[in-house]
Amino acid sequence: MNDEYIIKPIAYIHNDLNTKFGVPRQSGLAESLLSEIIFEPEYRVSDALRGITDFSHIWLIWSFSEARRSDWSPTVRPPRLGGNERVGVFATRSPYRPNSLALSCVKLLRIEHREGKGEILIVSGADLMNGTPIYDIKPYLPYADCKSDAVGGFARDGGKTLGVIDEDGELDKLSPEKRNALTELLARDPRPQYHDDCERVYGMSYGEFEVKFRVDGENVVVISVEKIQKM
């Protein structure tokens, strides 16, 4: 008996997160970050979205498309544990899994109709990189999905939030909407969690900009926000 089941993307997400570095570690941590979900031509059927705006949040089932590999390991090193302690892969949300599938809850803001692309979902709080394939969408049901007595294991909270210092006004080069989203991303400390070098300068791609920063104690210090020069 062949138990393999082939699935194909129904949509792709589009946002300002061009690389894995800087992507929120969980959905909902950067609520100001907006994303567009654009359906593949086969699924651009308005009836398929009938009633979805009655829900405030939706589940996205997607793929770690940048972390696929032919083999897998039963244990991984979660960043929340400093990258030094191993736990079972099924006790984590690590991208390095047998099937590289992920689940994220995002806020559904609205639907927009765009010529040539059909109905587009505008969502906030996604933790998906730009261009990530989405395999299914389901509504979030508060009565079933919200568990008040749930326990978070080694990830009991969302981690610390840092202050963001922008003494030279570099963030003002962005629109207010994009500035707010980037501030939330930086405040969540996008560095690998075992890095602790206050002099090291990090760079991340954000939309059409390259952002450079360092972390000094409890603050992210913005160094520059420069437009990426197209070749």
Side-chain angles (χ1 to χ4, degrees):
M1 180 178 178
N2 186 355
D3 292 329
E4 290 187 357
Y5 183 74
I6 298 175
I7 59 175
K8 57 183 179 179
I10 63 167
Y12 288 84
I13 200 164
H14 297 269
N15 56 33
D16 289 320
L17 304 176
N18 299 318
T19 62
K20 289 188 293 183
F21 186 85
V23 174
R25 293 184 174 90
Q26 303 293 341
S27 60
L29 296 183
E31 287 287 358
S32 297
L33 178 67
L34 301 185
S35 300
E36 298 180 347
I37 297 175
I38 301 179
F39 290 89
E40 289 291 270
E42 180 180 354
Y43 303 101
R44 291 175 188 172
V45 182
S46 58
D47 280 348
L49 296 173
R50 186 186 302 174
I52 197 171
T53 53
D54 292 336
F55 299 90
S56 64
H57 293 74
I58 55 177
W59 289 107
L60 306 180
I61 300 173
W62 51 282
S63 169
F64 291 107
S65 53
E66 297 295 307
R68 291 174 181 164
R69 52 171 61 178
S70 58
D71 60 347
W72 71 285
S73 172
T75 61
V76 295
R77 302 174 189 267
R80 287 294 295 273
L81 295 177
N84 298 315
E85 183 178 341
R86 284 191 173 274
V87 297
V89 65
F90 299 130
T92 75
R93 297 191 177 188
S94 167
Y96 303 108
R97 344 181 45 82
N99 287 308
S100 296
L101 292 177
L103 182 69
S104 294
C105 179
V106 298
K107 186 174 183 178
L108 177 59
L109 301 178
R110 61 186 181 276
I111 296 179
E112 291 184 1
H113 179 82
R114 202 165 297 168
E115 194 65 32
K117 294 183 178 179
E119 310 298 321
I120 294 175
L121 301 183
I122 310 298
V123 302
S124 67
D127 56 341
L128 287 69
M129 196 176 81
N130 182 44
T132 295
I134 296 172
Y135 292 106
D136 203 359
I137 296 172
K138 299 177 184 289
Y140 176 91
L141 303 177
Y143 78 90
D145 296 335
C146 181
K147 305 298 182 182
S148 60
D149 59 344
V151 177
F154 64 83
R156 289 179 176 83
D157 55 45
K160 65 180 181 180
T161 301
L162 303 178
V164 178
I165 298 176
D166 179 31
E167 292 180 346
D168 296 326
E170 289 293 307
L171 295 178
D172 292 338
K173 297 176 182 178
L174 306 172
S175 68
E177 182 180 87
K178 291 183 181 293
R179 182 174 66 242
N180 290 341
L182 178 58
T183 299
E184 288 185 351
L185 292 171
L186 293 175
R188 287 293 179 172
D189 194 354
R191 303 174 301 165
Q193 294 198 350
Y194 49 84
H195 281 204
D196 190 21
D197 182 354
C198 65
E199 298 300 323
R200 181 168 178 173
V201 175
Y202 296 84
M204 63 176 281
S205 174
Y206 179 70
E208 56 184 330
F209 293 89
E210 177 73 15
V211 181
K212 292 186 178 180
F213 66 93
R214 62 183 179 85
V215 177
D216 187 1
E218 298 298 313
N219 294 299
V220 176
V221 180
V222 179
I223 296 173
S224 66
V225 177
E226 299 294 339
K227 206 162 191 178
I228 298 173
Q229 298 298 320
K230 296 182 179 180
M231 301 300 291

